[in-house]
Structures are given as C-alpha cells and as structure tokens.
Amino acid sequence: MTELPTSPQINLLKNPMLALMKYFECRLPGLCVVFFTLTLSLISNQALAQLDSTKYALVGGLLIDGSGSEPVRNSIVLINSNRIEAVGTIGRLAVPEDYQLVSTEGMTVMPGLWDPHVHLLYNGHPDFAHWFSTYSNQFASVTIPASAHQFLMAGVTSVRDLAANTRDIAKVRQRIEQGELPGPTIYAAGAALMPVDAPQTMPHIIPIDNDRKAINETKRLIADGMDFIKILGAAPQSQNIVNAIVRTAHAAGVRVTAHGRSDEEIRVALIAGVDEIQHIGIENPTYPEDILDLVEQRIASGIPLYWNPTVGTILNSDELAADPEWLDDPKNFLDLPANIERDIRQAIARANFNVQPRSAQETIKRKLQSLSERGVIMVFGSDEGTFGHPASEATWRELETWVFELGMSPLIAIKWATSDAAEYMGVGAEVGTITPGKLADIITVTGSPLRHFSTLREPEMVFKNGIRVR
Ligand SMILES: [Zn+2]
C-alpha cells in the first residue's frame, strides 16, 4: 500500500493564505464555490481536526462514469467509507468540510477497470512447462500476489481468473479480501476441467475421463467457492463429459466458459450449452456453417451466448517480436524476486514470438462480425499472464487493440471494461460505474483517454473500496 501523496488541494488546506489568494484570483463562479467552501473550512482549526481519513472529495476532473454516458467536466465525486456517496459538478454539489479534498484537475475520473480473463499465476513467461515445474510451490506465496498487486497499480480493480490451482487462488483471494495483500477483487474458475483420457500433471488443470468424475469435480469446484467453471480442450469424443459438466454447473446456478480456439472445441461447447466461449481462432478464415447454425439456434432459444475474444495476444505479436522497450519496464516485475525476474526477462529475450500475418486482423474482424450479427454478446478480457502479457500491461493493451485496430470507440471500450464486465459478473448493481451507492472502485488518469487512449497505461490514482492505494 502506498502512502497518500499530498495533493495540491491538501496543500491548500495546510496553507490558508494560499487558499485565500486562490479564492480571490478565482474567475470561474463554479470554482469559487469550491474555494469558498475550502476557505471556510480553513478558518476553523476545528475543521482541520475533523478531516475524516475515509472521506474524499475528488474535485475538478473530467468524469467518465462507465455507463457510456457523455463525459462531464468539472466533476465532484464524494467517497464516504467504501462507497460513492454523491456525484456532481463544481458549483452544484457542495463539498462537506470534513472531506479530504483531492484535486483531479487535468485528469479523467473513471471506474476501476475490469479484466474478466486473466491468469494470475503466470507472469508473462513464454515456457509454461518450465514455469509449472519451477514455480508451482510459489504460486500462492509469490506469483499470484505479484500479478494481483500489478493489476491494482494498473488501475484494474476486478478480475476473473480462468485456470489456477483452486486452493492457491482461493487463498490469495481471501488474503486480499482480508486486507493482507493489495489486489483487485478476484472472481475465479479455479482449476480448468480438461476432458481427456490421458492424465495431466499441470496443477491448474483437472483431467476428466468419465461422466462421474465430471460431475464430482464440477461440484467440488462450486463447493470450494469458484464463481465459474472453465473447460479446456473439449473434443468430439468427450461430448458426454462436457455435457455432464455443463448440466452439473447449471443445476447449481453456476455458468460455464469454454476454451474455443479450434472449431472442434467450439462445436462441442455449443452442443453442450456453455454460456461463454473464449478466444477467436485464426487457423480458419471463417467459422464453418454448422457452427454458425448452432450459434443461431442458441440465440433463437433466448439463452444469451457470450464470447470472450482476447485478440491482443494475436494482434500484438508483431510488436512483441520487435522486442519493445516496455517489456523491460520495472513495473512488470513488481513483487517478483530477482531470480524470477531474471528468468522471465531472459526467456522473453530468446523467445520465438509467433508473429501473425496482418491477415489475422481481417480474420478476427470477419469472425467477430459473423458472431455479432447473430446476436452474440462480447465479453472483455486480455488473457493476462500469457507470453509477454504481464498484469501491469495486459488490460489496457487489449483495450487499446480494440480501439486502434478494431475501431471501437474509446467511450464504449471503457464501458465494456467497466460496467458491462460488472453486469456480466452479476454485480452491476454494486460496482462498475461511478454512481452514488456503489463501491468506490475509482481511478484517475492524466488528460482524457477519449483523445489519448494510452493515458490508461499509467493511472494517477487508484481507489479500491474507497481506500486510496495509488
Ligand atoms: Zn486464457
């Protein structure tokens, strides 16, 4: 946790003369109201003594509330304890005197980002087999907490982890909830269920070779508090197993997401009735007709179908292969011991990035369009943790790819990665927009991401549940 830095407004509180001078210089009536309120509070020493460390007034910035509404200039957001208490503008919303004033002038105030597709146990190392054989016993103590901390510093205040050892992710989630570790709110699938005959030894995967085991392992994940069930590697010969997993999860009211890079995986997942499919495979330029028929039948049935495309890992491959300087950014290695940092750096330096041809972009656009036209709902997610996608970079980079390569408007991209994600996870009434009553997961960034999207890369401030952590 970082100390609360002294902001210009707080300096004003400590320097009444400066505040008074500011007041008399003030030309804008709206600003005058704020400085007048400030000045009044400065006159009384009692008011200074009454400043409440759990109450903040974020004053002056451009507000993007996450709902997709047009931004609002000169905003005020009042945080009381862990909730957003009021939202308004300078001159219209009074700032009570016991609130800590935090200037957001020159910044955009927006909800904390969501990343609904992450792998906290990886930290961008290219060699999964090596990662598992070397660091499995440090996932709960080192790698998952490091990714969680990096996410929070990157302004990502909620994530959904798709494939980690169930016990490890549950333990880290609990420690974050108890305030022992800095990190986002974690929704998790636990270990992925892999319907195969051959036993696997990866700790984040449970091999399933019969229907009985499918039912038991699904029930066990749900009993362990997992929020989603993830299926990996579905194949035609395992259709019954996939059906059993989906039936068991749905009977318990838990949704199922399935890996879908290949047409084969997608076909089996759709027949079984999964809720969501991950990735856009690029081996084939279009989805075959029978898959599109299955999608149409599903939409016609009235049960929504979600897709989590994760295009950044494909479309950023050329930049990663060019060895970009940002891979060396120290924030990508926050909380990792020197030996693990060295290992990741060296492995990335000698890695062979699978550079995709530019036709991959056309394939992705075509496939996204064919799904969207049929009514499929897209879910945001970055596939963080995989090769070259550390937690401190992955989320904004994925979002930036949608804006710059796939033409999404920045305002819609922000809505997608905030309120839409919260709605999808079933907590839209609690979090995801800057609305009175909701949890105060708020970030500020310099300038406006509507004009300079890359400003999302490095937030100025991060509030998690009303506590300033950056
Ligand atoms: Zn993934």
Side-chain angles (χ1 to χ4, degrees):
M1 300 276 173
T2 46
E3 278 281 82
L4 172 66
T6 309
S7 76
Q9 296 281 10
I10 290 168
N11 268 334
L12 290 183
L13 280 172
K14 286 178 180 162
N15 190 337
M17 279 312 294
L18 191 63
L20 284 168
M21 281 161 63
K22 266 280 204 208
Y23 167 59
F24 287 116
E25 276 169 18
C26 188
R27 295 288 179 272
L28 294 168
L31 277 177
C32 284
V33 173
V34 167
F35 286 122
F36 186 60
T37 315
L38 248 180
T39 310
L40 278 184
S41 72
L42 291 168
I43 292 166
S44 158
N45 282 334
Q46 202 184 2
L48 276 177
Q50 282 175 350
L51 271 184
D52 191 324
S53 63
T54 66
K55 295 179 177 178
Y56 292 97
L58 313 186
V59 179
L62 182 78
L63 177 71
I64 296 177
D65 70 2
S67 71
S69 303
E70 284 302 311
V72 176
R73 295 200 65 215
N74 303 321
S75 67
I76 295 180
V77 178
L78 299 183
I79 300 172
N80 187 346
S81 187
N82 62 338
R83 300 266 167 188
I84 297 163
E85 186 175 47
V87 180
T89 53
I90 290 173
R92 288 170 186 255
L93 177 65
V95 177
E97 62 180 19
D98 58 336
Y99 282 61
Q100 295 192 47
L101 281 145
V102 179
S103 173
T104 53
E105 291 293 356
M107 297 180 214
T108 295
V109 181
M110 52 183 278
L113 295 170
W114 279 66
D115 195 332
H117 189 147
V118 309
H119 299 285
L120 294 165
L121 59 81
Y122 308 139
N123 297 85
H125 196 292
D127 185 343
F128 289 166
H130 165 79
W131 191 255
F132 282 108
S133 64
T134 315
Y135 303 118
S136 281
N137 60 354
Q138 295 179 66
F139 288 164
S141 58
V142 178
T143 71
I144 297 175
S147 300
H149 193 187
Q150 288 181 26
F151 266 125
L152 195 60
M153 292 303 102
V156 180
T157 51
S158 302
V159 300
R160 179 181 60 161
D161 187 281
L162 295 178
N165 334 25
T166 309
R167 207 182 315 123
D168 287 352
I169 196 77
K171 189 190 281 180
V172 176
R173 170 160 79 177
Q174 187 184 33
R175 291 186 68 199
I176 290 172
E177 282 168 3
Q178 291 171 346
E180 289 174 36
L181 292 174
T185 301
I186 296 176
Y187 299 86
L193 302 179
M194 192 164 188
V196 288
D197 300 328
Q200 301 271 313
T201 52
M202 301 274 221
H204 67 315
I205 289 170
I206 300 171
I208 307 283
D209 57 4
N210 64 72
D211 294 12
R212 173 65 23 211
K213 192 174 181 190
I215 293 166
N216 289 343
E217 293 294 347
T218 305
K219 285 182 173 172
R220 194 205 307 258
L221 286 165
I222 295 167
D224 285 342
M226 296 299 107
D227 307 287
F228 254 83
I229 298 297
K230 166 149 173 177
I231 295 171
L232 191 61
Q237 62 272 27
S238 60
Q239 184 72 59
N240 285 344
I241 289 173
V242 177
N243 294 349
I245 293 169
V246 174
R247 253 198 327 271
T248 308
H250 283 177
V254 173
R255 287 175 288 175
V256 181
T257 181
H259 199 263
R261 282 210 197 276
S262 71
D263 291 343
E264 199 169 71
E265 283 180 303
I266 295 168
R267 198 173 283 117
V268 174
L270 287 172
I271 290 169
V274 303
D275 302 274
E276 173 194 341
I277 293 176
Q278 296 147 31
H279 309 302
I280 297 285
I282 53 170
E283 314 77 46
N284 300 320
T286 54
Y287 288 122
E289 280 305 315
D290 72 304
I291 284 186
L292 294 175
D293 287 347
L294 285 169
V295 169
E296 279 174 12
Q297 286 164 25
R298 165 63 172 271
I299 301 297
S301 78
I303 301 169
L305 175 63
Y306 296 88
W307 215 285
N308 177 212
T310 71
V311 301
T313 50
I314 298 169
L315 296 179
N316 294 325
S317 62
D318 53 349
E319 201 213 337
L320 286 165
D323 192 19
E325 187 60 28
W326 62 259
L327 279 176
D328 287 343
D329 191 330
K331 72 180 186 262
N332 295 336
F333 307 98
L334 177 69
D335 289 354
L336 290 173
N339 65 314
I340 299 185
E341 175 175 344
R342 202 178 320 116
D343 186 0
I344 297 170
R345 281 182 189 277
Q346 288 173 356
I348 287 179
R350 63 173 181 263
N352 178 21
F353 279 91
N354 186 17
V355 179
Q356 302 300 331
R358 293 320 295 169
S359 60
Q361 194 198 60
E362 292 310 312
T363 299
I364 287 170
K365 279 185 177 170
R366 196 181 304 115
K367 286 185 157 181
L368 284 171
Q369 192 183 347
S370 68
L371 295 172
S372 296
E373 279 170 359
R374 287 167 174 80
V376 173
I377 302 166
M378 298 297 157
V379 176
F380 176 64
S382 72
D383 216 3
E384 171 277 335
T386 53
F387 192 2
H389 288 80
S392 57
E393 289 281 345
T395 308
W396 85 269
R397 187 164 285 279
E398 173 78 20
L399 215 47
E400 186 195 55
T401 307
W402 283 85
V403 170
F404 286 119
E405 300 215 31
L406 301 174
M408 186 178 265
S409 96
L411 195 63
I412 295 301
I414 289 169
K415 174 177 182 278
W416 196 35
T418 56
S419 62
D420 287 352
E423 290 287 346
Y424 183 56
M425 291 307 298
V427 291
E430 274 287 288
V431 68
T433 56
I434 298 190
T435 306
K438 289 195 182 180
L439 289 170
D441 285 0
I442 297 174
I443 64 173
T444 72
V445 299
T446 312
S448 171
L450 302 186
R451 179 73 186 170
H452 302 286
F453 201 73
S454 58
T455 192
L456 283 181
R457 181 172 188 246
E458 191 101 39
E460 285 286 321
M461 303 179 209
V462 178
F463 291 85
K464 177 82 189 90
N465 278 337
I467 296 170
R468 186 165 174 184
V469 294
R470 177 179 178 135

